[in-house]
Each structure stands twice: as structure tokens, then as C-alpha cells.
Amino acid sequence: MQTVNTVKELKHWVGRWRRDDMRVGLVPTMGGLHEAHLRLVDAAFHSADRVVATVFVNPMQFGEGEDFNAYPRDLDQDAALLEERGVHLLFAPPVSEIYPSGAAASTRVTVPGISDILCGAFRPGHFTGVATVVAKLFNLVRPDMAVFGEKDYQQLAVIRRVTVDLNFPVEVVGLPTVREADGLAMSSRNRYLSAEERRRAPRLQQILQETAAQLGRPGADFRSLEASATRGLEAEGFRPDYVSIRRAGDLQPAAAGDRDLVVLAAAWLGRARLIDNLPWSA
Ligand code: PAF
């Protein structure tokens, strides 16, 4: 595996593969890698000849008071895990390489509407930061395909919109959430949980499952199901930002008769903000 830190070196390697007509897959990450990231790599290998992984803690997607400084960073360990999984190229740039004029002054990509609801309502500017860095990575790597986890359901929806709206010739692949044995969605932020919080954390997915089990019932009242799930989380010691039943395609509030839904939640447990979701079809 080659590790490069500059756009020039990145372009050198990817350019060579392009000239040899190879199909390039991209796995963007912020590091703090765990098994779920490595499954994204495996998925990229299903349809690409060469796989580029990126490790970049993107300052633009962190708000004031968020965990940008605390976000887990261990490039040596990340590189070892990626190399073991067969990744050909690791791009781990400094902030100045991605945002030469500084993140605050940089041109940005904003996807209206979908960026402002759910997590976007609690993290203003977050999805603009995600959309901007992903658009930049698509421009720099020019991948044929890129893989993202469905745990970040709203993020994936934003990235799909960016790809269509800006005409990126990239196949965006979403991978089902990878879970621990007890059902907790894998996340770099799970390491913020104390042992006691870690024991309670799987309740988030269980409450989503209990909510989804009610969706098909005649006369199911989505708003009261959301309220009851919120109360359930509070009773377990979570501080929920939201629990919401949405249409799976456009993340608009679901109404009776909608067939493809997703139940989404974000909730704090101690200093970890956990997100999870559960797609559901009639
Ligand atoms: O999901 C993540 O790790 C990040 O939001 C991403 C897509 C790598 C953009 O920084």
C-alpha cells in the first residue's frame, strides 16, 4: 500500500491506473477505523481493480463545540488495518492540502432541504461540510465507484444528491450497517462510551425495532410512535435529539400509506452522540 499526503502524489497514482484502464474504487473515511470501515473496503473490491481509502478528519463538518479535536486519530493503526485489507493507496492529507484557503474561506457545496432536517437541524452546516469534502474527493480521485455506510443514512442521501446534481460519474454504493454482536451500530464515537453506557447503548437499535414493529398496524399513528420511542430512550438514560419516521427515499415525514420508510434516531449517551436507523417496507 502506498500512503500519500499530497494531491500531486494522489493524482500520480490514480492517473497511472486510469491510463491502464483500471476501475478505481474510493472509500472516504475520517479514520478511527473499525470493522465497518473495513467492510466498505471489501465492498469496493467487489467492483474495483484499485481501491483508494482516504483518512481526513474534515474540519468543515464539525460545528463549534463539537468533537473535532477529540476525534480519534491514529494514522499508523488505520494504515495497518487498510494495508491488511489490501487497499492500494491511502490518501491522508493535511487540512491545507484539502482547503488551501482555509476551511472557513473555502467554496462549499450545499444541498438545500435535506441538509437542514434531522441531524442537520441539530448540527447546522454539518452536511455542507460533508457534501463539500466528498465533492472534492470525487474531483481529486475521479473514482468509478465510492462506498459509504448506511448507518449515516442522511449523509448517504446527501451524497447521492450531490452526485446527481453535480453530474459526478460515480456509482455511489451504500452498505448496510455493520453491528456489534449485541446490535450496537459500529461507530468511531462508540469509544466515547463508559462501560456502563456501552452496556445500555444497544437499546437504541432495540427501540427502533420496537417502533418499526408497529408501523404496519392499521391506524398506526407515526407521531405518537415517535413520542413513545423518545420517552423510551429517555427512560434508558439517553438524551434524544430526535426519533423520526420518514420516507426512505427523500427523508420527508412519513404519512399513512407510505410503503418504504426508515425510522431514524440520534441520541446522546454520556458524551457520545449515537445515530442509528432501521429501514422498513410495507
Ligand atoms: O462518514 C464519514 O466518515 C465522513 O462524514 C466522510 C463521508 C468521510 C466525509 O468526511
Side-chain angles (χ1 to χ4, degrees), residues 28-31 37 54 56 58 61 71 126 129-130 133-134 137 148 152 155 159:
T29 82
M30 296 206 301
H37 293 109
T54 66
F56 179 63
N58 173 31
Q61 69 187 75
Y71 201 83
H126 168 68
V130 170
V133 80
V134 169
L137 292 173
F148 301 87
D152 297 288
Q155 166 172 284
I159 290 168

Side-chain angles (χ1 to χ4, degrees), residues 91-270:
F91 179 48
V95 172
S96 57
E97 199 66 17
I98 296 294
Y99 299 117
S101 13
S106 180
T107 301
R108 22 203 82 217
V109 175
T110 294
V111 183
I114 198 166
S115 298
D116 305 322
I117 58 176
L118 301 167
C119 282
F122 292 87
R123 305 184 66 190
H126 168 68
F127 288 115
T128 291
V130 170
T132 302
V133 80
V134 169
K136 287 176 78 86
L137 292 173
F138 282 4
N139 272 328
L140 294 172
V141 177
R142 301 195 175 271
D144 297 285
M145 57 90 68
V147 196
F148 301 87
E150 284 177 0
K151 180 183 76 79
D152 297 288
Y153 196 95
Q154 186 176 7
Q155 166 172 284
L156 182 57
V158 168
I159 290 168
R160 288 194 194 283
R161 277 282 307 281
V162 171
T163 307
V164 170
D165 290 358
L166 298 184
N167 305 98
F168 283 113
V170 179
E171 180 197 353
V172 172
V173 174
L175 211 72
T177 304
V178 181
R179 299 184 180 281
E180 305 286 356
D182 60 7
L184 176 64
M186 288 190 189
S187 165
S188 307
R189 289 187 168 106
N190 290 350
R191 62 190 79 182
Y192 297 160
L193 296 167
S194 68
E196 216 284 301
E197 289 158 356
R198 172 65 190 82
R199 199 181 51 69
R200 267 182 292 147
R203 281 299 289 148
L204 177 58
Q205 172 62 199
Q206 288 161 10
I207 286 174
L208 295 186
Q209 286 175 10
E210 289 156 18
T211 306
Q214 311 285 324
L215 293 176
R217 298 230 164 129
D221 174 352
F222 293 167
R223 302 297 86 83
S224 52
L225 288 175
E226 291 167 353
S228 139
T230 304
R231 283 194 302 275
L233 285 170
E234 284 166 351
E236 301 282 351
F238 289 82
R239 285 172 290 122
D241 276 351
Y242 64 84
V243 178
S244 197
I245 301 164
R246 298 278 166 145
R247 297 200 300 238
D250 60 6
L251 291 183
Q252 289 308 301
D258 289 332
R259 301 180 68 81
D260 292 313
L261 307 179
V262 57
V263 191
L264 306 112
W268 290 88
L269 192 54

Side-chain angles (χ1 to χ4, degrees), residues 3-10 75 90-94 96-98:
T3 299
V4 298
N5 311 112
T6 64
V7 166
K8 191 170 170 209
E9 294 165 294
L10 170 71
L75 189 58
L90 166 59
F91 179 48
S96 57
E97 199 66 17
I98 296 294

